[in-house]
């Protein structure tokens, strides 16, 4: 178990730029982006989001009302558009049960809400956690590929997303904003310093010591 995640947060805070990871306040745009970014890069997602904005203004009712083929055409730039269109339709059908009231949905217990999200085909562990943190204002660790590689370089090897997440002690002091910050910093740091061993060694956090307990 990694027990000093808050110390890691503070270490990142000293060396990384403080800015918002998602350059939008529109939670519907964030929600769609979290699905569209699966297995692609953000440039492709931007094209798809622009199409959706033009066609629906990110209105959840309009998105749910789209015909499958129309939705597929709009999100085609993001790749895997057939599977992603089905995920979006299932997700929005689930949201419609609460009249698209994101605040009401967010009031659910964290564990219950996470389990519900994971029952939606196409919503995996990482996407569920991103939605919880950025859309539903909960706080949790997002154990993405960059996190897995950074923790491996810091001395904790995991077998994947679920394994790393289960071995992180996440304190209550890390609120939603801090969860968002840490996720963004991990990705940005990884994009810079995980390209090769020399870059990793030149990074300001390469000597950070994880505290591990059995």
């Amino acid at each position: 178990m990694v027990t000093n995640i808050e110390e890691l947060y503070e270490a990142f805070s000293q060396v990384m730029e403080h800015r918002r990871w998602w350059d939008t306040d529109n939670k519907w745009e964030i929600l769609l982006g979290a699905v569209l970014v699966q297995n692609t890069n953000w440039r492709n997602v931007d094209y798809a989001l622009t199409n959706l904005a033009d066609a629906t203004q990110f209105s959840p009712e309009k998105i749910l009302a789209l015909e499958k083929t129309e939705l597929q055409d709009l999100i085609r730039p993001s790749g895997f558009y057939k599977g992603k269109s089905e995920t979006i339709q299932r997700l929005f059908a689930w949201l419609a049960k609460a009249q698209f009231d994101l605040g009401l949905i967010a009031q659910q217990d964290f564990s219950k809400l996470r389990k519900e999200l994971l029952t939606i085909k196409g919503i995996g562990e990482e996407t569920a956690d991103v939605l919880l943190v950025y859309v539903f204002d909960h706080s949790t660790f997002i154990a993405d590929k960059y996190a897995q590689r950074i923790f491996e370089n810091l001395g904790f090897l995991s077998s994947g997303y679920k394994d790393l997440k289960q071995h992180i002690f996440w304190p209550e002091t890390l609120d939603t904003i801090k969860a968002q910050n840490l996720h963004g910093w991990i990705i940005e740091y990884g994009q810079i310093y995980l390209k090769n061993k020399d870059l990793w060694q030149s990074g300001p956090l390469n000597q950070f010591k994880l505290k591990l307990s059995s």
Side-chain angles (χ1 to χ4, degrees), residues 31-86:
L31 186 146
L32 289 162
V35 174
L36 295 172
V37 78
Q38 295 174 4
N39 301 306
T40 192
N41 60 61
W42 194 254
R43 181 181 300 175
N44 294 333
V45 174
D46 265 337
Y47 292 127
L49 287 174
T50 298
N51 291 343
L52 285 166
D54 291 342
T56 70
Q57 299 75 53
F58 297 128
S59 161
E61 292 85 0
K62 289 182 179 180
I63 291 167
L64 185 57
L66 290 170
E67 295 292 334
K68 181 179 291 188
T69 54
E70 186 178 6
L71 177 56
Q72 288 177 356
D73 286 341
L74 292 171
I75 68 171
R76 189 181 295 268
S78 70
F80 303 96
Y81 58 91
K82 291 184 179 179
K84 290 178 182 179
S85 68
E86 292 177 355

Side-chain angles (χ1 to χ4, degrees), residues 7-206:
E7 289 180 15
L8 180 61
Y9 177 91
E10 293 302 329
F12 270 114
S13 181
Q14 295 299 315
V15 300
M16 301 300 289
E17 181 183 355
H18 286 246
R19 67 177 184 85
R20 294 190 306 171
W21 178 242
W22 292 84
D23 191 24
T24 180
D25 290 318
N26 189 316
K27 289 192 174 184
W28 297 108
E29 182 178 357
I30 294 171
L31 186 146
L32 289 162
V35 174
L36 295 172
V37 78
Q38 295 174 4
N39 301 306
T40 192
N41 60 61
W42 194 254
R43 181 181 300 175
N44 294 333
V45 174
D46 265 337
Y47 292 127
L49 287 174
T50 298
N51 291 343
L52 285 166
D54 291 342
T56 70
Q57 299 75 53
F58 297 128
S59 161
E61 292 85 0
K62 289 182 179 180
I63 291 167
L64 185 57
L66 290 170
E67 295 292 334
K68 181 179 291 188
T69 54
E70 186 178 6
L71 177 56
Q72 288 177 356
D73 286 341
L74 292 171
I75 68 171
R76 189 181 295 268
S78 70
F80 303 96
Y81 58 91
K82 291 184 179 179
K84 290 178 182 179
S85 68
E86 292 177 355
T87 299
I88 289 170
Q89 288 185 325
R90 284 189 289 262
L91 178 58
F92 275 74
W94 174 75
L95 292 163
K97 295 177 183 178
Q99 290 74 50
F100 299 112
D101 188 336
L102 298 179
L104 179 64
I105 297 170
Q107 291 176 20
Q108 294 185 60
D109 172 75
F110 171 85
S111 296
K112 180 178 182 294
L113 180 53
R114 190 173 193 271
K115 287 178 181 178
E116 281 197 38
L117 287 168
L118 290 173
T119 65
I120 301 170
K121 186 177 179 182
I123 302 297
E125 300 262 344
E126 181 176 343
T127 303
D129 286 336
V130 168
L131 294 177
L132 285 162
V133 169
Y134 289 96
V135 177
F136 299 114
D137 298 325
H138 283 277
S139 178
T140 192
F141 182 67
I142 300 173
D144 62 15
K145 292 292 186 182
Y146 284 110
Q148 292 167 39
R149 291 181 59 198
I150 286 174
F151 275 74
E152 179 179 354
N153 282 0
L154 293 176
F156 184 83
L157 177 62
S158 65
S159 61
Y161 192 99
K162 191 171 184 178
D163 185 43
L164 176 57
K165 186 176 178 69
Q166 288 178 337
H167 285 87
I168 298 294
F169 174 74
W170 189 256
E172 292 183 0
T173 51
L174 294 180
D175 59 16
T176 300
I177 298 301
K178 289 184 176 181
Q180 294 175 1
N181 288 342
L182 184 60
H183 175 237
W185 291 337
I186 284 174
I187 293 175
E188 291 182 350
Y189 194 90
Q191 289 173 340
I192 298 169
Y193 296 110
L194 286 175
K195 292 179 180 179
N196 56 58
K197 290 183 178 180
D198 289 338
L199 279 172
W200 174 261
Q201 291 300 326
S202 71
L205 299 184
N206 73 307

